[in-house]
Amino acid sequence: MPPLPRRGTSLVEVMIAMVFSSIICAGLYEVGWKSRQYADYARVATEARSRAKEQLEEIVSYNLSDLCQASYQWKSDTNLSAMGYSIVRTPRVVWHAGDTSETNASSSLYAEVHVDVAFRSPLWKKMVTNTFSMIIQ
C-alpha cells in the first residue's frame, strides 16, 4: 500500500515561517520609525529656517545708518515649533571698514548680518544650528 499524502505543516515549518515573518515585520517597523523621524526633522528644520529668514529680513529692512544706532536690541529669541521643539534665533552684526577689517558701527562701510538658528533635532536627539547671513551696505 502506498504511503498517504502528507497533509498540513509540521510544527518546525510553522516556527520557521513565524521567525521569518517576525524579522520582516521588525525591519518594516524600523523603516517606518526612521521615516517618521526624518519627516519630523524636516518639519522642525523648515520651520526653524523660516523663522531665521524672517528675522534676517527684518534686520535687513533697516538701512545701514539705522543699524549703526543702538536703538535695535540684539538678543536671542526663543519660540516653540508647531511640534513643541524650542527654536532659538540669535542675531549678530559684524561691522566692517572699507578694507574688510572688523570695526565699530560708527566707522563702518558695510555690515554682515547673521542669524543663527538652533533647534533640537528629532532625528539625532541633539541641537542643530544653521546660520543665515546677508551683507548690508
Side-chain angles (χ1 to χ4, degrees):
M1 177 169 180
L4 293 174
R6 198 172 131 199
R7 293 186 184 171
T9 56
S10 69
L11 181 61
V12 173
E13 292 171 331
V14 170
M15 294 299 288
I16 290 172
M18 288 179 63
V19 167
F20 282 129
S21 297
S22 298
I23 291 171
I24 291 171
C25 287
L28 289 174
Y29 177 80
E30 183 67 25
V31 167
W33 182 252
K34 278 294 181 194
S35 66
R36 179 183 171 142
Q37 286 178 325
Y38 276 109
D40 289 348
Y41 170 77
R43 280 189 201 105
V44 173
T46 300
E47 186 174 355
R49 292 171 184 151
S50 174
R51 289 179 186 236
K53 288 178 183 180
E54 285 174 10
Q55 187 166 24
L56 184 64
E57 289 297 325
E58 176 189 337
I59 294 169
V60 169
S61 68
Y62 293 101
N63 60 31
L64 193 60
S65 61
D66 290 341
L67 282 177
C68 288
Q69 298 173 0
S71 62
Y72 191 85
Q73 298 296 320
W74 306 106
K75 58 184 175 182
S76 293
D77 183 21
T78 303
N79 301 98
L80 287 179
S81 70
M83 297 179 65
Y85 293 98
S86 293
I87 298 173
V88 180
R89 298 175 298 176
T90 306
R92 55 191 163 91
V93 177
V94 181
W95 304 98
H96 291 280
D99 61 355
T100 68
S101 63
E102 290 186 21
T103 186
N104 59 13
S106 59
S107 61
S108 65
L109 183 62
Y110 68 95
E112 290 178 38
V113 179
H114 303 275
V115 177
D116 299 324
V117 62
F119 59 94
R120 182 164 173 77
S121 168
L123 182 60
W124 296 298
K125 307 293 187 226
K126 64 179 186 175
M127 292 299 283
V128 175
T129 302
N130 295 141
T131 301
F132 297 90
S133 305
M134 196 171 283
I135 294 177
I136 302 175
Q137 292 185 340

